[in-house]
PDB file of all heavy atoms in Angstrom:
ATOM      1  N   TYR A   1     -11.257  -9.469 -34.113  1.00 95.00           N
ATOM      2  CA  TYR A   1     -10.274 -10.463 -33.685  1.00 95.00           C
ATOM      3  C   TYR A   1     -10.279 -10.553 -32.161  1.00 95.00           C
ATOM      4  O   TYR A   1     -10.661  -9.601 -31.466  1.00 95.00           O
ATOM      5  CB  TYR A   1      -8.874 -10.093 -34.167  1.00 95.00           C
ATOM      6  CG  TYR A   1      -8.687 -10.232 -35.662  1.00 95.00           C
ATOM      7  CD1 TYR A   1      -9.137  -9.230 -36.536  1.00 95.00           C
ATOM      8  CD2 TYR A   1      -8.077 -11.347 -36.206  1.00 95.00           C
ATOM      9  CE1 TYR A   1      -8.971  -9.352 -37.909  1.00 95.00           C
ATOM     10  CE2 TYR A   1      -7.908 -11.480 -37.585  1.00 95.00           C
ATOM     11  CZ  TYR A   1      -8.358 -10.479 -38.421  1.00 95.00           C
ATOM     12  OH  TYR A   1      -8.200 -10.610 -39.776  1.00 95.00           O
ATOM     13  N   THR A   2      -9.842 -11.677 -31.679  1.00 96.00           N
ATOM     14  CA  THR A   2      -9.768 -11.897 -30.234  1.00 96.00           C
ATOM     15  C   THR A   2      -8.331 -12.205 -29.850  1.00 96.00           C
ATOM     16  O   THR A   2      -7.708 -13.105 -30.416  1.00 96.00           O
ATOM     17  CB  THR A   2     -10.672 -13.064 -29.793  1.00 96.00           C
ATOM     18  OG1 THR A   2     -12.019 -12.768 -30.158  1.00 96.00           O
ATOM     19  CG2 THR A   2     -10.597 -13.261 -28.286  1.00 96.00           C
ATOM     20  N   LEU A   3      -7.822 -11.421 -28.915  1.00 95.00           N
ATOM     21  CA  LEU A   3      -6.479 -11.651 -28.382  1.00 95.00           C
ATOM     22  C   LEU A   3      -6.601 -12.377 -27.046  1.00 95.00           C
ATOM     23  O   LEU A   3      -7.311 -11.930 -26.147  1.00 95.00           O
ATOM     24  CB  LEU A   3      -5.739 -10.328 -28.181  1.00 95.00           C
ATOM     25  CG  LEU A   3      -4.374 -10.431 -27.490  1.00 95.00           C
ATOM     26  CD1 LEU A   3      -3.386 -11.216 -28.362  1.00 95.00           C
ATOM     27  CD2 LEU A   3      -3.825  -9.051 -27.174  1.00 95.00           C
ATOM     28  N   ARG A   4      -5.912 -13.485 -26.966  1.00 95.00           N
ATOM     29  CA  ARG A   4      -5.907 -14.264 -25.730  1.00 95.00           C
ATOM     30  C   ARG A   4      -4.481 -14.341 -25.204  1.00 95.00           C
ATOM     31  O   ARG A   4      -3.565 -14.722 -25.939  1.00 95.00           O
ATOM     32  CB  ARG A   4      -6.469 -15.668 -25.960  1.00 95.00           C
ATOM     33  CG  ARG A   4      -7.963 -15.655 -26.281  1.00 95.00           C
ATOM     34  CD  ARG A   4      -8.485 -17.044 -26.563  1.00 95.00           C
ATOM     35  NE  ARG A   4      -9.933 -17.013 -26.801  1.00 95.00           N
ATOM     36  CZ  ARG A   4     -10.643 -18.044 -27.221  1.00 95.00           C
ATOM     37  NH1 ARG A   4     -10.032 -19.198 -27.464  1.00 95.00           N
ATOM     38  NH2 ARG A   4     -11.950 -17.943 -27.409  1.00 95.00           N
ATOM     39  N   VAL A   5      -4.336 -13.964 -23.942  1.00 94.00           N
ATOM     40  CA  VAL A   5      -3.025 -13.972 -23.289  1.00 94.00           C
ATOM     41  C   VAL A   5      -3.033 -15.072 -22.242  1.00 94.00           C
ATOM     42  O   VAL A   5      -3.921 -15.117 -21.387  1.00 94.00           O
ATOM     43  CB  VAL A   5      -2.713 -12.605 -22.645  1.00 94.00           C
ATOM     44  CG1 VAL A   5      -1.334 -12.633 -22.001  1.00 94.00           C
ATOM     45  CG2 VAL A   5      -2.799 -11.496 -23.688  1.00 94.00           C
ATOM     46  N   LYS A   6      -2.033 -15.927 -22.343  1.00 93.00           N
ATOM     47  CA  LYS A   6      -1.978 -17.085 -21.449  1.00 93.00           C
ATOM     48  C   LYS A   6      -0.662 -17.092 -20.692  1.00 93.00           C
ATOM     49  O   LYS A   6       0.412 -16.959 -21.286  1.00 93.00           O
ATOM     50  CB  LYS A   6      -2.134 -18.374 -22.251  1.00 93.00           C
ATOM     51  CG  LYS A   6      -2.159 -19.635 -21.397  1.00 93.00           C
ATOM     52  CD  LYS A   6      -2.353 -20.872 -22.261  1.00 93.00           C
ATOM     53  CE  LYS A   6      -2.395 -22.148 -21.432  1.00 93.00           C
ATOM     54  NZ  LYS A   6      -2.581 -23.358 -22.274  1.00 93.00           N
ATOM     55  N   SER A   7      -0.757 -17.207 -19.382  1.00 91.00           N
ATOM     56  CA  SER A   7       0.415 -17.338 -18.534  1.00 91.00           C
ATOM     57  C   SER A   7       0.777 -18.808 -18.400  1.00 91.00           C
ATOM     58  O   SER A   7      -0.103 -19.671 -18.275  1.00 91.00           O
ATOM     59  CB  SER A   7       0.157 -16.731 -17.153  1.00 91.00           C
ATOM     60  OG  SER A   7       1.168 -17.100 -16.236  1.00 91.00           O
ATOM     61  N   ASN A   8       2.074 -19.075 -18.451  1.00 89.00           N
ATOM     62  CA  ASN A   8       2.512 -20.465 -18.297  1.00 89.00           C
ATOM     63  C   ASN A   8       2.145 -21.021 -16.933  1.00 89.00           C
ATOM     64  O   ASN A   8       2.022 -22.238 -16.761  1.00 89.00           O
ATOM     65  CB  ASN A   8       4.027 -20.562 -18.498  1.00 89.00           C
ATOM     66  CG  ASN A   8       4.428 -20.203 -19.911  1.00 89.00           C
ATOM     67  OD1 ASN A   8       3.602 -20.219 -20.819  1.00 89.00           O
ATOM     68  ND2 ASN A   8       5.686 -19.868 -20.107  1.00 89.00           N
ATOM     69  N   THR A   9       1.959 -20.120 -15.961  1.00 88.00           N
ATOM     70  CA  THR A   9       1.644 -20.554 -14.595  1.00 88.00           C
ATOM     71  C   THR A   9       0.149 -20.488 -14.312  1.00 88.00           C
ATOM     72  O   THR A   9      -0.438 -21.417 -13.767  1.00 88.00           O
ATOM     73  CB  THR A   9       2.396 -19.683 -13.577  1.00 88.00           C
ATOM     74  OG1 THR A   9       3.796 -19.754 -13.843  1.00 88.00           O
ATOM     75  CG2 THR A   9       2.129 -20.153 -12.155  1.00 88.00           C
ATOM     76  N   LEU A  10      -0.484 -19.382 -14.715  1.00 89.00           N
ATOM     77  CA  LEU A  10      -1.872 -19.127 -14.327  1.00 89.00           C
ATOM     78  C   LEU A  10      -2.886 -19.547 -15.374  1.00 89.00           C
ATOM     79  O   LEU A  10      -4.081 -19.533 -15.113  1.00 89.00           O
ATOM     80  CB  LEU A  10      -2.053 -17.640 -14.015  1.00 89.00           C
ATOM     81  CG  LEU A  10      -1.093 -17.028 -12.994  1.00 89.00           C
ATOM     82  CD1 LEU A  10      -1.430 -15.570 -12.778  1.00 89.00           C
ATOM     83  CD2 LEU A  10      -1.131 -17.794 -11.696  1.00 89.00           C
ATOM     84  N   GLY A  11      -2.437 -19.887 -16.568  1.00 89.00           N
ATOM     85  CA  GLY A  11      -3.389 -20.177 -17.636  1.00 89.00           C
ATOM     86  C   GLY A  11      -3.823 -18.885 -18.314  1.00 89.00           C
ATOM     87  O   GLY A  11      -3.082 -17.891 -18.352  1.00 89.00           O
ATOM     88  N   GLU A  12      -5.025 -18.876 -18.883  1.00 90.00           N
ATOM     89  CA  GLU A  12      -5.509 -17.691 -19.597  1.00 90.00           C
ATOM     90  C   GLU A  12      -5.825 -16.588 -18.604  1.00 90.00           C
ATOM     91  O   GLU A  12      -6.663 -16.735 -17.713  1.00 90.00           O
ATOM     92  CB  GLU A  12      -6.741 -18.038 -20.411  1.00 90.00           C
ATOM     93  CG  GLU A  12      -7.157 -16.928 -21.372  1.00 90.00           C
ATOM     94  CD  GLU A  12      -8.214 -17.390 -22.361  1.00 90.00           C
ATOM     95  OE1 GLU A  12      -7.917 -18.312 -23.152  1.00 90.00           O
ATOM     96  OE2 GLU A  12      -9.326 -16.835 -22.322  1.00 90.00           O
ATOM     97  N   VAL A  13      -5.125 -15.457 -18.777  1.00 90.00           N
ATOM     98  CA  VAL A  13      -5.265 -14.362 -17.819  1.00 90.00           C
ATOM     99  C   VAL A  13      -5.888 -13.117 -18.441  1.00 90.00           C
ATOM    100  O   VAL A  13      -6.217 -12.170 -17.724  1.00 90.00           O
ATOM    101  CB  VAL A  13      -3.891 -13.999 -17.221  1.00 90.00           C
ATOM    102  CG1 VAL A  13      -3.380 -15.121 -16.341  1.00 90.00           C
ATOM    103  CG2 VAL A  13      -2.873 -13.681 -18.320  1.00 90.00           C
ATOM    104  N   PHE A  14      -6.051 -13.121 -19.777  1.00 92.00           N
ATOM    105  CA  PHE A  14      -6.619 -11.921 -20.398  1.00 92.00           C
ATOM    106  C   PHE A  14      -7.198 -12.278 -21.750  1.00 92.00           C
ATOM    107  O   PHE A  14      -6.588 -13.013 -22.536  1.00 92.00           O
ATOM    108  CB  PHE A  14      -5.544 -10.849 -20.562  1.00 92.00           C
ATOM    109  CG  PHE A  14      -6.053  -9.578 -21.188  1.00 92.00           C
ATOM    110  CD1 PHE A  14      -6.824  -8.685 -20.458  1.00 92.00           C
ATOM    111  CD2 PHE A  14      -5.773  -9.282 -22.518  1.00 92.00           C
ATOM    112  CE1 PHE A  14      -7.294  -7.523 -21.039  1.00 92.00           C
ATOM    113  CE2 PHE A  14      -6.236  -8.119 -23.097  1.00 92.00           C
ATOM    114  CZ  PHE A  14      -7.008  -7.240 -22.346  1.00 92.00           C
ATOM    115  N   THR A  15      -8.415 -11.772 -22.045  1.00 94.00           N
ATOM    116  CA  THR A  15      -9.072 -11.944 -23.338  1.00 94.00           C
ATOM    117  C   THR A  15      -9.606 -10.595 -23.772  1.00 94.00           C
ATOM    118  O   THR A  15     -10.250  -9.892 -22.977  1.00 94.00           O
ATOM    119  CB  THR A  15     -10.217 -12.969 -23.247  1.00 94.00           C
ATOM    120  OG1 THR A  15      -9.696 -14.219 -22.785  1.00 94.00           O
ATOM    121  CG2 THR A  15     -10.864 -13.164 -24.597  1.00 94.00           C
ATOM    122  N   TYR A  16      -9.358 -10.249 -25.039  1.00 94.00           N
ATOM    123  CA  TYR A  16      -9.773  -8.929 -25.510  1.00 94.00           C
ATOM    124  C   TYR A  16     -10.179  -9.032 -26.979  1.00 94.00           C
ATOM    125  O   TYR A  16      -9.461  -9.606 -27.797  1.00 94.00           O
ATOM    126  CB  TYR A  16      -8.617  -7.947 -25.350  1.00 94.00           C
ATOM    127  CG  TYR A  16      -8.950  -6.539 -25.771  1.00 94.00           C
ATOM    128  CD1 TYR A  16      -9.728  -5.710 -24.961  1.00 94.00           C
ATOM    129  CD2 TYR A  16      -8.491  -6.032 -26.988  1.00 94.00           C
ATOM    130  CE1 TYR A  16     -10.020  -4.419 -25.341  1.00 94.00           C
ATOM    131  CE2 TYR A  16      -8.784  -4.735 -27.379  1.00 94.00           C
ATOM    132  CZ  TYR A  16      -9.552  -3.942 -26.554  1.00 94.00           C
ATOM    133  OH  TYR A  16      -9.849  -2.652 -26.933  1.00 94.00           O
ATOM    134  N   ASP A  17     -11.346  -8.461 -27.308  1.00 94.00           N
ATOM    135  CA  ASP A  17     -11.822  -8.385 -28.687  1.00 94.00           C
ATOM    136  C   ASP A  17     -11.504  -7.011 -29.248  1.00 94.00           C
ATOM    137  O   ASP A  17     -11.759  -5.988 -28.597  1.00 94.00           O
ATOM    138  CB  ASP A  17     -13.333  -8.631 -28.755  1.00 94.00           C
ATOM    139  CG  ASP A  17     -13.702 -10.059 -28.370  1.00 94.00           C
ATOM    140  OD1 ASP A  17     -12.845 -10.945 -28.507  1.00 94.00           O
ATOM    141  OD2 ASP A  17     -14.846 -10.273 -27.915  1.00 94.00           O
ATOM    142  N   PHE A  18     -10.959  -6.991 -30.456  1.00 93.00           N
ATOM    143  CA  PHE A  18     -10.662  -5.707 -31.088  1.00 93.00           C
ATOM    144  C   PHE A  18     -11.046  -5.781 -32.569  1.00 93.00           C
ATOM    145  O   PHE A  18     -11.029  -6.847 -33.183  1.00 93.00           O
ATOM    146  CB  PHE A  18      -9.184  -5.328 -30.932  1.00 93.00           C
ATOM    147  CG  PHE A  18      -8.223  -6.293 -31.564  1.00 93.00           C
ATOM    148  CD1 PHE A  18      -7.767  -6.112 -32.865  1.00 93.00           C
ATOM    149  CD2 PHE A  18      -7.768  -7.400 -30.855  1.00 93.00           C
ATOM    150  CE1 PHE A  18      -6.877  -6.999 -33.446  1.00 93.00           C
ATOM    151  CE2 PHE A  18      -6.869  -8.290 -31.429  1.00 93.00           C
ATOM    152  CZ  PHE A  18      -6.431  -8.094 -32.719  1.00 93.00           C
ATOM    153  N   TYR A  19     -11.404  -4.622 -33.122  1.00 94.00           N
ATOM    154  CA  TYR A  19     -11.803  -4.497 -34.519  1.00 94.00           C
ATOM    155  C   TYR A  19     -10.685  -3.811 -35.291  1.00 94.00           C
ATOM    156  O   TYR A  19     -10.111  -2.820 -34.827  1.00 94.00           O
ATOM    157  CB  TYR A  19     -13.099  -3.704 -34.652  1.00 94.00           C
ATOM    158  CG  TYR A  19     -14.309  -4.434 -34.117  1.00 94.00           C
ATOM    159  CD1 TYR A  19     -14.617  -4.398 -32.761  1.00 94.00           C
ATOM    160  CD2 TYR A  19     -15.138  -5.176 -34.960  1.00 94.00           C
ATOM    161  CE1 TYR A  19     -15.718  -5.075 -32.259  1.00 94.00           C
ATOM    162  CE2 TYR A  19     -16.239  -5.861 -34.466  1.00 94.00           C
ATOM    163  CZ  TYR A  19     -16.523  -5.797 -33.113  1.00 94.00           C
ATOM    164  OH  TYR A  19     -17.618  -6.472 -32.625  1.00 94.00           O
ATOM    165  N   VAL A  20     -10.390  -4.352 -36.466  1.00 94.00           N
ATOM    166  CA  VAL A  20      -9.330  -3.797 -37.294  1.00 94.00           C
ATOM    167  C   VAL A  20      -9.920  -2.699 -38.162  1.00 94.00           C
ATOM    168  O   VAL A  20     -10.658  -2.969 -39.108  1.00 94.00           O
ATOM    169  CB  VAL A  20      -8.679  -4.890 -38.157  1.00 94.00           C
ATOM    170  CG1 VAL A  20      -7.657  -4.272 -39.098  1.00 94.00           C
ATOM    171  CG2 VAL A  20      -8.030  -5.940 -37.279  1.00 94.00           C
ATOM    172  N   LYS A  21      -9.631  -1.451 -37.809  1.00 93.00           N
ATOM    173  CA  LYS A  21     -10.112  -0.308 -38.589  1.00 93.00           C
ATOM    174  C   LYS A  21      -8.969   0.584 -39.040  1.00 93.00           C
ATOM    175  O   LYS A  21      -9.201   1.610 -39.680  1.00 93.00           O
ATOM    176  CB  LYS A  21     -11.111   0.507 -37.763  1.00 93.00           C
ATOM    177  CG  LYS A  21     -12.388  -0.274 -37.438  1.00 93.00           C
ATOM    178  CD  LYS A  21     -13.386   0.596 -36.709  1.00 93.00           C
ATOM    179  CE  LYS A  21     -14.677  -0.177 -36.436  1.00 93.00           C
ATOM    180  NZ  LYS A  21     -15.688   0.645 -35.743  1.00 93.00           N
ATOM    181  N   SER A  22      -7.754   0.204 -38.682  1.00 93.00           N
ATOM    182  CA  SER A  22      -6.577   0.973 -39.076  1.00 93.00           C
ATOM    183  C   SER A  22      -5.386   0.019 -39.066  1.00 93.00           C
ATOM    184  O   SER A  22      -5.469  -1.087 -38.524  1.00 93.00           O
ATOM    185  CB  SER A  22      -6.341   2.142 -38.104  1.00 93.00           C
ATOM    186  OG  SER A  22      -5.983   1.655 -36.824  1.00 93.00           O
ATOM    187  N   PRO A  23      -4.287   0.435 -39.680  1.00 94.00           N
ATOM    188  CA  PRO A  23      -3.120  -0.465 -39.725  1.00 94.00           C
ATOM    189  C   PRO A  23      -2.388  -0.594 -38.405  1.00 94.00           C
ATOM    190  O   PRO A  23      -1.384  -1.305 -38.335  1.00 94.00           O
ATOM    191  CB  PRO A  23      -2.228   0.169 -40.800  1.00 94.00           C
ATOM    192  CG  PRO A  23      -2.628   1.590 -40.822  1.00 94.00           C
ATOM    193  CD  PRO A  23      -4.073   1.643 -40.499  1.00 94.00           C
ATOM    194  N   SER A  24      -2.863   0.054 -37.380  1.00 93.00           N
ATOM    195  CA  SER A  24      -2.239  -0.092 -36.065  1.00 93.00           C
ATOM    196  C   SER A  24      -3.337  -0.183 -35.011  1.00 93.00           C
ATOM    197  O   SER A  24      -4.311   0.565 -35.055  1.00 93.00           O
ATOM    198  CB  SER A  24      -1.293   1.071 -35.765  1.00 93.00           C
ATOM    199  OG  SER A  24      -2.004   2.292 -35.717  1.00 93.00           O
ATOM    200  N   VAL A  25      -3.146  -1.113 -34.107  1.00 94.00           N
ATOM    201  CA  VAL A  25      -4.111  -1.345 -33.036  1.00 94.00           C
ATOM    202  C   VAL A  25      -3.332  -1.412 -31.722  1.00 94.00           C
ATOM    203  O   VAL A  25      -2.274  -2.043 -31.650  1.00 94.00           O
ATOM    204  CB  VAL A  25      -4.896  -2.656 -33.243  1.00 94.00           C
ATOM    205  CG1 VAL A  25      -5.847  -2.900 -32.070  1.00 94.00           C
ATOM    206  CG2 VAL A  25      -5.661  -2.609 -34.552  1.00 94.00           C
ATOM    207  N   GLU A  26      -3.864  -0.759 -30.732  1.00 94.00           N
ATOM    208  CA  GLU A  26      -3.234  -0.777 -29.415  1.00 94.00           C
ATOM    209  C   GLU A  26      -4.183  -1.459 -28.434  1.00 94.00           C
ATOM    210  O   GLU A  26      -5.338  -1.083 -28.300  1.00 94.00           O
ATOM    211  CB  GLU A  26      -2.915   0.646 -28.950  1.00 94.00           C
ATOM    212  CG  GLU A  26      -2.070   0.697 -27.688  1.00 94.00           C
ATOM    213  CD  GLU A  26      -1.619   2.112 -27.369  1.00 94.00           C
ATOM    214  OE1 GLU A  26      -0.552   2.528 -27.875  1.00 94.00           O
ATOM    215  OE2 GLU A  26      -2.351   2.812 -26.638  1.00 94.00           O
ATOM    216  N   VAL A  27      -3.653  -2.469 -27.785  1.00 94.00           N
ATOM    217  CA  VAL A  27      -4.442  -3.238 -26.818  1.00 94.00           C
ATOM    218  C   VAL A  27      -3.812  -3.048 -25.445  1.00 94.00           C
ATOM    219  O   VAL A  27      -2.645  -3.388 -25.243  1.00 94.00           O
ATOM    220  CB  VAL A  27      -4.479  -4.730 -27.184  1.00 94.00           C
ATOM    221  CG1 VAL A  27      -5.268  -5.506 -26.134  1.00 94.00           C
ATOM    222  CG2 VAL A  27      -5.080  -4.919 -28.565  1.00 94.00           C
ATOM    223  N   GLN A  28      -4.570  -2.507 -24.565  1.00 93.00           N
ATOM    224  CA  GLN A  28      -4.094  -2.349 -23.180  1.00 93.00           C
ATOM    225  C   GLN A  28      -4.712  -3.451 -22.331  1.00 93.00           C
ATOM    226  O   GLN A  28      -5.921  -3.533 -22.162  1.00 93.00           O
ATOM    227  CB  GLN A  28      -4.447  -0.981 -22.620  1.00 93.00           C
ATOM    228  CG  GLN A  28      -3.833  -0.722 -21.235  1.00 93.00           C
ATOM    229  CD  GLN A  28      -4.064   0.689 -20.767  1.00 93.00           C
ATOM    230  OE1 GLN A  28      -5.121   1.267 -20.992  1.00 93.00           O
ATOM    231  NE2 GLN A  28      -3.068   1.272 -20.123  1.00 93.00           N
ATOM    232  N   THR A  29      -3.863  -4.282 -21.828  1.00 92.00           N
ATOM    233  CA  THR A  29      -4.329  -5.404 -21.032  1.00 92.00           C
ATOM    234  C   THR A  29      -4.508  -4.981 -19.575  1.00 92.00           C
ATOM    235  O   THR A  29      -4.187  -3.853 -19.186  1.00 92.00           O
ATOM    236  CB  THR A  29      -3.324  -6.563 -21.091  1.00 92.00           C
ATOM    237  OG1 THR A  29      -2.120  -6.171 -20.414  1.00 92.00           O
ATOM    238  CG2 THR A  29      -3.010  -6.924 -22.520  1.00 92.00           C
TER     239      THR A  29
END
């Protein structure tokens, strides 16, 4: 999956790909 973080002011400020291998995933931006 791909997480995209978008700022209302700056636009897209962070993109991160993560794989689901457990029922909990931690994404550090």
